[in-house]
Amino acid sequence: MPQPTTRARRTGHPGYSETLPRQPESAAPARRLVRAACAVWRLDDLAEDGALIVSELVANAVQHARRESIRVAVDRPGAGRVRIGVVDFSKAPPVRKASGPEDEGGRGLSLVTKLADAWGSEPLPWGKRVWAELHGKGHG
């Protein structure tokens, strides 16, 4: 299994990223990466919401992307803030769908919207990055 990589960021806080197979099973190592980053940064209050968010972003990428891999990144853009991103090789932006109680799927981005302080999608030359940001208690 590939090990997470750490690289320096402009903010001075390291970021964690890992390339994973585009498979539903990749949600588990993505959650571990988010929890580990939150623990290192002493932002444990964000770990569980972050783990749920990355699970939904990975599930979206697995369902809609192309190619065999996705990239999960966890960054700390500022004190008390965590940004989780999933990069895939599909240029189609994510669409939040209304889902009813009987629907099997379609709740992922609604859950991300509920849990995250902000989220969005950025086009890349080869695909897109879908990200969500969480703010710790007492941080805005």
PDB file of all heavy atoms in Angstrom, residues 55-94:
ATOM      1  N   SER A  55     -14.976  10.264   2.694  1.00  0.00           N
ATOM      2  CA  SER A  55     -15.666   9.068   2.201  1.00  0.00           C
ATOM      3  C   SER A  55     -16.618   9.423   1.065  1.00  0.00           C
ATOM      4  O   SER A  55     -16.677   8.725   0.047  1.00  0.00           O
ATOM      5  CB  SER A  55     -16.461   8.401   3.320  1.00  0.00           C
ATOM      6  OG  SER A  55     -15.604   7.872   4.289  1.00  0.00           O
ATOM      7  N   GLU A  56     -17.367  10.501   1.226  1.00  0.00           N
ATOM      8  CA  GLU A  56     -18.323  10.921   0.194  1.00  0.00           C
ATOM      9  C   GLU A  56     -17.606  11.410  -1.055  1.00  0.00           C
ATOM     10  O   GLU A  56     -18.024  11.106  -2.183  1.00  0.00           O
ATOM     11  CB  GLU A  56     -19.255  12.000   0.738  1.00  0.00           C
ATOM     12  CG  GLU A  56     -20.149  11.530   1.862  1.00  0.00           C
ATOM     13  CD  GLU A  56     -21.037  10.352   1.475  1.00  0.00           C
ATOM     14  OE1 GLU A  56     -21.368  10.183   0.285  1.00  0.00           O
ATOM     15  OE2 GLU A  56     -21.415   9.582   2.388  1.00  0.00           O
ATOM     16  N   LEU A  57     -16.518  12.164  -0.886  1.00  0.00           N
ATOM     17  CA  LEU A  57     -15.778  12.662  -2.054  1.00  0.00           C
ATOM     18  C   LEU A  57     -15.131  11.514  -2.828  1.00  0.00           C
ATOM     19  O   LEU A  57     -15.123  11.510  -4.066  1.00  0.00           O
ATOM     20  CB  LEU A  57     -14.730  13.696  -1.630  1.00  0.00           C
ATOM     21  CG  LEU A  57     -15.264  14.974  -0.981  1.00  0.00           C
ATOM     22  CD1 LEU A  57     -14.112  15.917  -0.655  1.00  0.00           C
ATOM     23  CD2 LEU A  57     -16.305  15.666  -1.853  1.00  0.00           C
ATOM     24  N   VAL A  58     -14.597  10.533  -2.101  1.00  0.00           N
ATOM     25  CA  VAL A  58     -14.017   9.357  -2.759  1.00  0.00           C
ATOM     26  C   VAL A  58     -15.116   8.577  -3.487  1.00  0.00           C
ATOM     27  O   VAL A  58     -14.936   8.167  -4.638  1.00  0.00           O
ATOM     28  CB  VAL A  58     -13.259   8.467  -1.752  1.00  0.00           C
ATOM     29  CG1 VAL A  58     -12.943   7.097  -2.335  1.00  0.00           C
ATOM     30  CG2 VAL A  58     -11.978   9.163  -1.297  1.00  0.00           C
ATOM     31  N   ALA A  59     -16.261   8.384  -2.844  1.00  0.00           N
ATOM     32  CA  ALA A  59     -17.365   7.651  -3.483  1.00  0.00           C
ATOM     33  C   ALA A  59     -17.795   8.337  -4.774  1.00  0.00           C
ATOM     34  O   ALA A  59     -18.055   7.679  -5.786  1.00  0.00           O
ATOM     35  CB  ALA A  59     -18.544   7.519  -2.523  1.00  0.00           C
ATOM     36  N   ASN A  60     -17.862   9.666  -4.751  1.00  0.00           N
ATOM     37  CA  ASN A  60     -18.217  10.427  -5.945  1.00  0.00           C
ATOM     38  C   ASN A  60     -17.194  10.201  -7.055  1.00  0.00           C
ATOM     39  O   ASN A  60     -17.549   9.991  -8.215  1.00  0.00           O
ATOM     40  CB  ASN A  60     -18.285  11.918  -5.605  1.00  0.00           C
ATOM     41  CG  ASN A  60     -19.624  12.515  -5.911  1.00  0.00           C
ATOM     42  OD1 ASN A  60     -20.620  11.820  -6.027  1.00  0.00           O
ATOM     43  ND2 ASN A  60     -19.638  13.824  -6.044  1.00  0.00           N
ATOM     44  N   ALA A  61     -15.919  10.270  -6.699  1.00  0.00           N
ATOM     45  CA  ALA A  61     -14.855  10.077  -7.693  1.00  0.00           C
ATOM     46  C   ALA A  61     -14.880   8.658  -8.258  1.00  0.00           C
ATOM     47  O   ALA A  61     -14.702   8.455  -9.461  1.00  0.00           O
ATOM     48  CB  ALA A  61     -13.490  10.387  -7.084  1.00  0.00           C
ATOM     49  N   VAL A  62     -15.121   7.684  -7.402  1.00  0.00           N
ATOM     50  CA  VAL A  62     -15.186   6.294  -7.853  1.00  0.00           C
ATOM     51  C   VAL A  62     -16.319   6.128  -8.866  1.00  0.00           C
ATOM     52  O   VAL A  62     -16.163   5.476  -9.895  1.00  0.00           O
ATOM     53  CB  VAL A  62     -15.368   5.334  -6.653  1.00  0.00           C
ATOM     54  CG1 VAL A  62     -15.775   3.945  -7.100  1.00  0.00           C
ATOM     55  CG2 VAL A  62     -14.079   5.279  -5.832  1.00  0.00           C
ATOM     56  N   GLN A  63     -17.449   6.745  -8.588  1.00  0.00           N
ATOM     57  CA  GLN A  63     -18.616   6.591  -9.451  1.00  0.00           C
ATOM     58  C   GLN A  63     -18.498   7.352 -10.764  1.00  0.00           C
ATOM     59  O   GLN A  63     -18.905   6.864 -11.806  1.00  0.00           O
ATOM     60  CB  GLN A  63     -19.865   7.059  -8.707  1.00  0.00           C
ATOM     61  CG  GLN A  63     -21.136   6.835  -9.509  1.00  0.00           C
ATOM     62  CD  GLN A  63     -22.370   7.212  -8.725  1.00  0.00           C
ATOM     63  OE1 GLN A  63     -22.298   7.651  -7.584  1.00  0.00           O
ATOM     64  NE2 GLN A  63     -23.515   7.039  -9.332  1.00  0.00           N
ATOM     65  N   HIS A  64     -17.906   8.545 -10.746  1.00  0.00           N
ATOM     66  CA  HIS A  64     -17.991   9.418 -11.910  1.00  0.00           C
ATOM     67  C   HIS A  64     -16.686   9.636 -12.671  1.00  0.00           C
ATOM     68  O   HIS A  64     -16.724  10.151 -13.790  1.00  0.00           O
ATOM     69  CB  HIS A  64     -18.535  10.786 -11.487  1.00  0.00           C
ATOM     70  CG  HIS A  64     -19.908  10.699 -10.911  1.00  0.00           C
ATOM     71  ND1 HIS A  64     -21.020  10.385 -11.663  1.00  0.00           N
ATOM     72  CD2 HIS A  64     -20.358  10.859  -9.642  1.00  0.00           C
ATOM     73  CE1 HIS A  64     -22.085  10.375 -10.888  1.00  0.00           C
ATOM     74  NE2 HIS A  64     -21.714  10.651  -9.654  1.00  0.00           N
ATOM     75  N   ALA A  65     -15.556   9.298 -12.097  1.00  0.00           N
ATOM     76  CA  ALA A  65     -14.282   9.622 -12.730  1.00  0.00           C
ATOM     77  C   ALA A  65     -13.866   8.557 -13.737  1.00  0.00           C
ATOM     78  O   ALA A  65     -14.514   7.519 -13.869  1.00  0.00           O
ATOM     79  CB  ALA A  65     -13.200   9.783 -11.669  1.00  0.00           C
ATOM     80  N   ARG A  66     -12.776   8.867 -14.423  1.00  0.00           N
ATOM     81  CA  ARG A  66     -12.166   7.906 -15.336  1.00  0.00           C
ATOM     82  C   ARG A  66     -10.779   7.578 -14.784  1.00  0.00           C
ATOM     83  O   ARG A  66     -10.353   8.146 -13.804  1.00  0.00           O
ATOM     84  CB  ARG A  66     -12.013   8.531 -16.725  1.00  0.00           C
ATOM     85  CG  ARG A  66     -13.338   9.027 -17.298  1.00  0.00           C
ATOM     86  CD  ARG A  66     -13.154   9.544 -18.699  1.00  0.00           C
ATOM     87  NE  ARG A  66     -12.067  10.502 -18.831  1.00  0.00           N
ATOM     88  CZ  ARG A  66     -12.227  11.805 -18.976  1.00  0.00           C
ATOM     89  NH1 ARG A  66     -13.413  12.328 -18.994  1.00  0.00           N
ATOM     90  NH2 ARG A  66     -11.177  12.602 -19.096  1.00  0.00           N
ATOM     91  N   ARG A  67     -10.103   6.690 -15.438  1.00  0.00           N
ATOM     92  CA  ARG A  67      -8.758   6.232 -15.072  1.00  0.00           C
ATOM     93  C   ARG A  67      -8.790   5.373 -13.825  1.00  0.00           C
ATOM     94  O   ARG A  67      -9.820   5.165 -13.208  1.00  0.00           O
ATOM     95  CB  ARG A  67      -7.788   7.395 -14.919  1.00  0.00           C
ATOM     96  CG  ARG A  67      -7.700   8.243 -16.164  1.00  0.00           C
ATOM     97  CD  ARG A  67      -6.295   8.318 -16.680  1.00  0.00           C
ATOM     98  NE  ARG A  67      -6.255   9.208 -17.820  1.00  0.00           N
ATOM     99  CZ  ARG A  67      -5.455  10.231 -17.930  1.00  0.00           C
ATOM    100  NH1 ARG A  67      -4.599  10.498 -16.978  1.00  0.00           N
ATOM    101  NH2 ARG A  67      -5.486  10.977 -18.997  1.00  0.00           N
ATOM    102  N   GLU A  68      -7.626   4.890 -13.461  1.00  0.00           N
ATOM    103  CA  GLU A  68      -7.542   3.891 -12.397  1.00  0.00           C
ATOM    104  C   GLU A  68      -7.270   4.465 -11.019  1.00  0.00           C
ATOM    105  O   GLU A  68      -7.331   3.749 -10.033  1.00  0.00           O
ATOM    106  CB  GLU A  68      -6.423   2.876 -12.707  1.00  0.00           C
ATOM    107  CG  GLU A  68      -6.600   2.117 -14.000  1.00  0.00           C
ATOM    108  CD  GLU A  68      -6.185   2.929 -15.221  1.00  0.00           C
ATOM    109  OE1 GLU A  68      -5.197   3.691 -15.137  1.00  0.00           O
ATOM    110  OE2 GLU A  68      -6.868   2.832 -16.249  1.00  0.00           O
ATOM    111  N   SER A  69      -6.926   5.751 -10.926  1.00  0.00           N
ATOM    112  CA  SER A  69      -6.531   6.262  -9.618  1.00  0.00           C
ATOM    113  C   SER A  69      -7.173   7.614  -9.328  1.00  0.00           C
ATOM    114  O   SER A  69      -7.640   8.313 -10.228  1.00  0.00           O
ATOM    115  CB  SER A  69      -5.009   6.383  -9.528  1.00  0.00           C
ATOM    116  OG  SER A  69      -4.541   7.349 -10.438  1.00  0.00           O
ATOM    117  N   ILE A  70      -7.165   7.951  -8.040  1.00  0.00           N
ATOM    118  CA  ILE A  70      -7.579   9.256  -7.552  1.00  0.00           C
ATOM    119  C   ILE A  70      -6.497   9.730  -6.591  1.00  0.00           C
ATOM    120  O   ILE A  70      -5.684   8.934  -6.121  1.00  0.00           O
ATOM    121  CB  ILE A  70      -8.948   9.204  -6.838  1.00  0.00           C
ATOM    122  CG1 ILE A  70      -8.906   8.215  -5.666  1.00  0.00           C
ATOM    123  CG2 ILE A  70     -10.058   8.858  -7.821  1.00  0.00           C
ATOM    124  CD1 ILE A  70     -10.155   8.218  -4.789  1.00  0.00           C
ATOM    125  N   ARG A  71      -6.483  11.007  -6.297  1.00  0.00           N
ATOM    126  CA  ARG A  71      -5.514  11.542  -5.335  1.00  0.00           C
ATOM    127  C   ARG A  71      -6.284  12.245  -4.223  1.00  0.00           C
ATOM    128  O   ARG A  71      -7.149  13.079  -4.490  1.00  0.00           O
ATOM    129  CB  ARG A  71      -4.571  12.519  -6.011  1.00  0.00           C
ATOM    130  CG  ARG A  71      -3.480  13.003  -5.098  1.00  0.00           C
ATOM    131  CD  ARG A  71      -2.139  12.976  -5.825  1.00  0.00           C
ATOM    132  NE  ARG A  71      -1.037  13.277  -4.942  1.00  0.00           N
ATOM    133  CZ  ARG A  71      -0.260  12.369  -4.398  1.00  0.00           C
ATOM    134  NH1 ARG A  71      -0.464  11.094  -4.644  1.00  0.00           N
ATOM    135  NH2 ARG A  71       0.733  12.712  -3.613  1.00  0.00           N
ATOM    136  N   VAL A  72      -5.967  11.878  -3.000  1.00  0.00           N
ATOM    137  CA  VAL A  72      -6.578  12.486  -1.826  1.00  0.00           C
ATOM    138  C   VAL A  72      -5.528  13.373  -1.170  1.00  0.00           C
ATOM    139  O   VAL A  72      -4.383  12.943  -0.976  1.00  0.00           O
ATOM    140  CB  VAL A  72      -7.070  11.411  -0.829  1.00  0.00           C
ATOM    141  CG1 VAL A  72      -7.628  12.048   0.432  1.00  0.00           C
ATOM    142  CG2 VAL A  72      -8.101  10.515  -1.487  1.00  0.00           C
ATOM    143  N   ALA A  73      -5.907  14.604  -0.859  1.00  0.00           N
ATOM    144  CA  ALA A  73      -4.976  15.526  -0.206  1.00  0.00           C
ATOM    145  C   ALA A  73      -5.657  16.161   1.002  1.00  0.00           C
ATOM    146  O   ALA A  73      -6.847  16.483   0.957  1.00  0.00           O
ATOM    147  CB  ALA A  73      -4.531  16.612  -1.182  1.00  0.00           C
ATOM    148  N   VAL A  74      -4.894  16.328   2.066  1.00  0.00           N
ATOM    149  CA  VAL A  74      -5.371  16.985   3.276  1.00  0.00           C
ATOM    150  C   VAL A  74      -4.371  18.089   3.582  1.00  0.00           C
ATOM    151  O   VAL A  74      -3.180  17.827   3.773  1.00  0.00           O
ATOM    152  CB  VAL A  74      -5.469  16.006   4.469  1.00  0.00           C
ATOM    153  CG1 VAL A  74      -6.136  16.685   5.654  1.00  0.00           C
ATOM    154  CG2 VAL A  74      -6.215  14.745   4.072  1.00  0.00           C
ATOM    155  N   ASP A  75      -4.859  19.315   3.582  1.00  0.00           N
ATOM    156  CA  ASP A  75      -4.002  20.476   3.815  1.00  0.00           C
ATOM    157  C   ASP A  75      -4.535  21.275   4.991  1.00  0.00           C
ATOM    158  O   ASP A  75      -5.707  21.169   5.361  1.00  0.00           O
ATOM    159  CB  ASP A  75      -3.983  21.380   2.574  1.00  0.00           C
ATOM    160  CG  ASP A  75      -3.383  20.680   1.373  1.00  0.00           C
ATOM    161  OD1 ASP A  75      -2.242  20.204   1.478  1.00  0.00           O
ATOM    162  OD2 ASP A  75      -4.068  20.610   0.337  1.00  0.00           O
ATOM    163  N   ARG A  76      -3.665  22.105   5.518  1.00  0.00           N
ATOM    164  CA  ARG A  76      -4.031  22.992   6.622  1.00  0.00           C
ATOM    165  C   ARG A  76      -3.806  24.427   6.154  1.00  0.00           C
ATOM    166  O   ARG A  76      -2.720  24.978   6.308  1.00  0.00           O
ATOM    167  CB  ARG A  76      -3.172  22.665   7.844  1.00  0.00           C
ATOM    168  CG  ARG A  76      -3.586  23.405   9.082  1.00  0.00           C
ATOM    169  CD  ARG A  76      -2.740  22.942  10.242  1.00  0.00           C
ATOM    170  NE  ARG A  76      -3.034  23.725  11.425  1.00  0.00           N
ATOM    171  CZ  ARG A  76      -2.302  23.718  12.510  1.00  0.00           C
ATOM    172  NH1 ARG A  76      -1.221  22.957  12.573  1.00  0.00           N
ATOM    173  NH2 ARG A  76      -2.622  24.452  13.536  1.00  0.00           N
ATOM    174  N   PRO A  77      -4.827  25.055   5.568  1.00  0.00           N
ATOM    175  CA  PRO A  77      -4.642  26.388   5.016  1.00  0.00           C
ATOM    176  C   PRO A  77      -4.497  27.479   6.064  1.00  0.00           C
ATOM    177  O   PRO A  77      -4.128  28.602   5.736  1.00  0.00           O
ATOM    178  CB  PRO A  77      -5.891  26.608   4.155  1.00  0.00           C
ATOM    179  CG  PRO A  77      -6.908  25.691   4.715  1.00  0.00           C
ATOM    180  CD  PRO A  77      -6.161  24.517   5.292  1.00  0.00           C
ATOM    181  N   GLY A  78      -4.775  27.175   7.306  1.00  0.00           N
ATOM    182  CA  GLY A  78      -4.631  28.153   8.374  1.00  0.00           C
ATOM    183  C   GLY A  78      -4.883  27.493   9.710  1.00  0.00           C
ATOM    184  O   GLY A  78      -5.281  26.331   9.781  1.00  0.00           O
ATOM    185  N   ALA A  79      -4.665  28.244  10.773  1.00  0.00           N
ATOM    186  CA  ALA A  79      -4.873  27.713  12.123  1.00  0.00           C
ATOM    187  C   ALA A  79      -6.317  27.264  12.279  1.00  0.00           C
ATOM    188  O   ALA A  79      -7.248  27.999  11.956  1.00  0.00           O
ATOM    189  CB  ALA A  79      -4.539  28.784  13.156  1.00  0.00           C
ATOM    190  N   GLY A  80      -6.505  26.048  12.737  1.00  0.00           N
ATOM    191  CA  GLY A  80      -7.842  25.544  12.999  1.00  0.00           C
ATOM    192  C   GLY A  80      -8.645  25.205  11.759  1.00  0.00           C
ATOM    193  O   GLY A  80      -9.847  25.004  11.852  1.00  0.00           O
ATOM    194  N   ARG A  81      -7.996  25.137  10.601  1.00  0.00           N
ATOM    195  CA  ARG A  81      -8.714  24.836   9.354  1.00  0.00           C
ATOM    196  C   ARG A  81      -8.075  23.652   8.652  1.00  0.00           C
ATOM    197  O   ARG A  81      -6.857  23.528   8.609  1.00  0.00           O
ATOM    198  CB  ARG A  81      -8.688  26.043   8.423  1.00  0.00           C
ATOM    199  CG  ARG A  81      -9.494  27.194   8.966  1.00  0.00           C
ATOM    200  CD  ARG A  81      -9.354  28.488   8.204  1.00  0.00           C
ATOM    201  NE  ARG A  81      -9.311  28.317   6.769  1.00  0.00           N
ATOM    202  CZ  ARG A  81      -8.699  29.175   5.947  1.00  0.00           C
ATOM    203  NH1 ARG A  81      -8.081  30.234   6.417  1.00  0.00           N
ATOM    204  NH2 ARG A  81      -8.704  28.966   4.650  1.00  0.00           N
ATOM    205  N   VAL A  82      -8.919  22.787   8.108  1.00  0.00           N
ATOM    206  CA  VAL A  82      -8.469  21.630   7.340  1.00  0.00           C
ATOM    207  C   VAL A  82      -9.197  21.645   6.008  1.00  0.00           C
ATOM    208  O   VAL A  82     -10.416  21.866   5.967  1.00  0.00           O
ATOM    209  CB  VAL A  82      -8.761  20.306   8.092  1.00  0.00           C
ATOM    210  CG1 VAL A  82      -8.479  19.097   7.214  1.00  0.00           C
ATOM    211  CG2 VAL A  82      -7.954  20.227   9.372  1.00  0.00           C
ATOM    212  N   ARG A  83      -8.451  21.435   4.925  1.00  0.00           N
ATOM    213  CA  ARG A  83      -9.045  21.335   3.589  1.00  0.00           C
ATOM    214  C   ARG A  83      -8.759  19.941   3.057  1.00  0.00           C
ATOM    215  O   ARG A  83      -7.621  19.502   3.016  1.00  0.00           O
ATOM    216  CB  ARG A  83      -8.473  22.381   2.655  1.00  0.00           C
ATOM    217  CG  ARG A  83      -9.097  22.304   1.265  1.00  0.00           C
ATOM    218  CD  ARG A  83      -8.526  23.343   0.352  1.00  0.00           C
ATOM    219  NE  ARG A  83      -9.281  24.566   0.504  1.00  0.00           N
ATOM    220  CZ  ARG A  83      -9.669  25.301  -0.528  1.00  0.00           C
ATOM    221  NH1 ARG A  83      -9.351  24.965  -1.754  1.00  0.00           N
ATOM    222  NH2 ARG A  83     -10.364  26.401  -0.331  1.00  0.00           N
ATOM    223  N   ILE A  84      -9.828  19.262   2.673  1.00  0.00           N
ATOM    224  CA  ILE A  84      -9.752  17.909   2.138  1.00  0.00           C
ATOM    225  C   ILE A  84     -10.082  17.989   0.657  1.00  0.00           C
ATOM    226  O   ILE A  84     -11.097  18.593   0.284  1.00  0.00           O
ATOM    227  CB  ILE A  84     -10.769  16.998   2.853  1.00  0.00           C
ATOM    228  CG1 ILE A  84     -10.463  16.960   4.352  1.00  0.00           C
ATOM    229  CG2 ILE A  84     -10.784  15.604   2.241  1.00  0.00           C
ATOM    230  CD1 ILE A  84     -11.631  16.506   5.197  1.00  0.00           C
ATOM    231  N   GLY A  85      -9.239  17.407  -0.170  1.00  0.00           N
ATOM    232  CA  GLY A  85      -9.499  17.438  -1.604  1.00  0.00           C
ATOM    233  C   GLY A  85      -9.339  16.067  -2.221  1.00  0.00           C
ATOM    234  O   GLY A  85      -8.529  15.253  -1.770  1.00  0.00           O
ATOM    235  N   VAL A  86     -10.135  15.803  -3.260  1.00  0.00           N
ATOM    236  CA  VAL A  86     -10.001  14.584  -4.045  1.00  0.00           C
ATOM    237  C   VAL A  86      -9.880  15.008  -5.501  1.00  0.00           C
ATOM    238  O   VAL A  86     -10.741  15.721  -6.026  1.00  0.00           O
ATOM    239  CB  VAL A  86     -11.199  13.629  -3.841  1.00  0.00           C
ATOM    240  CG1 VAL A  86     -11.084  12.426  -4.765  1.00  0.00           C
ATOM    241  CG2 VAL A  86     -11.269  13.163  -2.392  1.00  0.00           C
ATOM    242  N   VAL A  87      -8.783  14.602  -6.123  1.00  0.00           N
ATOM    243  CA  VAL A  87      -8.519  14.914  -7.525  1.00  0.00           C
ATOM    244  C   VAL A  87      -8.813  13.674  -8.349  1.00  0.00           C
ATOM    245  O   VAL A  87      -8.385  12.568  -8.005  1.00  0.00           O
ATOM    246  CB  VAL A  87      -7.047  15.353  -7.722  1.00  0.00           C
ATOM    247  CG1 VAL A  87      -6.731  15.563  -9.189  1.00  0.00           C
ATOM    248  CG2 VAL A  87      -6.758  16.617  -6.924  1.00  0.00           C
ATOM    249  N   ASP A  88      -9.578  13.876  -9.434  1.00  0.00           N
ATOM    250  CA  ASP A  88      -9.859  12.766 -10.339  1.00  0.00           C
ATOM    251  C   ASP A  88      -9.705  13.233 -11.783  1.00  0.00           C
ATOM    252  O   ASP A  88      -9.439  14.400 -12.035  1.00  0.00           O
ATOM    253  CB  ASP A  88     -11.234  12.155 -10.067  1.00  0.00           C
ATOM    254  CG  ASP A  88     -12.382  13.115 -10.338  1.00  0.00           C
ATOM    255  OD1 ASP A  88     -12.403  13.751 -11.406  1.00  0.00           O
ATOM    256  OD2 ASP A  88     -13.272  13.218  -9.479  1.00  0.00           O
ATOM    257  N   PHE A  89      -9.861  12.313 -12.701  1.00  0.00           N
ATOM    258  CA  PHE A  89      -9.621  12.594 -14.106  1.00  0.00           C
ATOM    259  C   PHE A  89     -10.904  12.831 -14.896  1.00  0.00           C
ATOM    260  O   PHE A  89     -10.941  12.595 -16.097  1.00  0.00           O
ATOM    261  CB  PHE A  89      -8.812  11.452 -14.733  1.00  0.00           C
ATOM    262  CG  PHE A  89      -7.395  11.425 -14.248  1.00  0.00           C
ATOM    263  CD1 PHE A  89      -7.040  10.632 -13.174  1.00  0.00           C
ATOM    264  CD2 PHE A  89      -6.429  12.198 -14.857  1.00  0.00           C
ATOM    265  CE1 PHE A  89      -5.735  10.608 -12.706  1.00  0.00           C
ATOM    266  CE2 PHE A  89      -5.131  12.189 -14.398  1.00  0.00           C
ATOM    267  CZ  PHE A  89      -4.781  11.395 -13.326  1.00  0.00           C
ATOM    268  N   SER A  90     -11.947  13.298 -14.251  1.00  0.00           N
ATOM    269  CA  SER A  90     -13.178  13.674 -14.933  1.00  0.00           C
ATOM    270  C   SER A  90     -13.323  15.182 -14.861  1.00  0.00           C
ATOM    271  O   SER A  90     -13.144  15.773 -13.799  1.00  0.00           O
ATOM    272  CB  SER A  90     -14.386  13.019 -14.264  1.00  0.00           C
ATOM    273  OG  SER A  90     -15.581  13.587 -14.748  1.00  0.00           O
ATOM    274  N   LYS A  91     -13.642  15.808 -15.976  1.00  0.00           N
ATOM    275  CA  LYS A  91     -13.845  17.257 -15.975  1.00  0.00           C
ATOM    276  C   LYS A  91     -15.269  17.648 -15.587  1.00  0.00           C
ATOM    277  O   LYS A  91     -15.554  18.814 -15.375  1.00  0.00           O
ATOM    278  CB  LYS A  91     -13.499  17.832 -17.344  1.00  0.00           C
ATOM    279  CG  LYS A  91     -12.014  17.761 -17.632  1.00  0.00           C
ATOM    280  CD  LYS A  91     -11.657  18.529 -18.873  1.00  0.00           C
ATOM    281  CE  LYS A  91     -10.151  18.477 -19.056  1.00  0.00           C
ATOM    282  NZ  LYS A  91      -9.653  19.544 -19.878  1.00  0.00           N
ATOM    283  N   ALA A  92     -16.167  16.667 -15.482  1.00  0.00           N
ATOM    284  CA  ALA A  92     -17.554  16.968 -15.127  1.00  0.00           C
ATOM    285  C   ALA A  92     -17.623  17.448 -13.678  1.00  0.00           C
ATOM    286  O   ALA A  92     -17.151  16.755 -12.774  1.00  0.00           O
ATOM    287  CB  ALA A  92     -18.425  15.733 -15.309  1.00  0.00           C
ATOM    288  N   PRO A  93     -18.203  18.627 -13.451  1.00  0.00           N
ATOM    289  CA  PRO A  93     -18.285  19.121 -12.067  1.00  0.00           C
ATOM    290  C   PRO A  93     -19.280  18.301 -11.250  1.00  0.00           C
ATOM    291  O   PRO A  93     -20.213  17.717 -11.804  1.00  0.00           O
ATOM    292  CB  PRO A  93     -18.775  20.566 -12.236  1.00  0.00           C
ATOM    293  CG  PRO A  93     -19.464  20.589 -13.555  1.00  0.00           C
ATOM    294  CD  PRO A  93     -18.783  19.546 -14.411  1.00  0.00           C
ATOM    295  N   PRO A  94     -19.089  18.264  -9.943  1.00  0.00           N
ATOM    296  CA  PRO A  94     -20.041  17.532  -9.096  1.00  0.00           C
ATOM    297  C   PRO A  94     -21.383  18.252  -9.080  1.00  0.00           C
ATOM    298  O   PRO A  94     -21.441  19.480  -9.147  1.00  0.00           O
ATOM    299  CB  PRO A  94     -19.384  17.544  -7.715  1.00  0.00           C
ATOM    300  CG  PRO A  94     -18.501  18.734  -7.735  1.00  0.00           C
ATOM    301  CD  PRO A  94     -18.046  18.905  -9.158  1.00  0.00           C
TER     302      PRO A  94
END
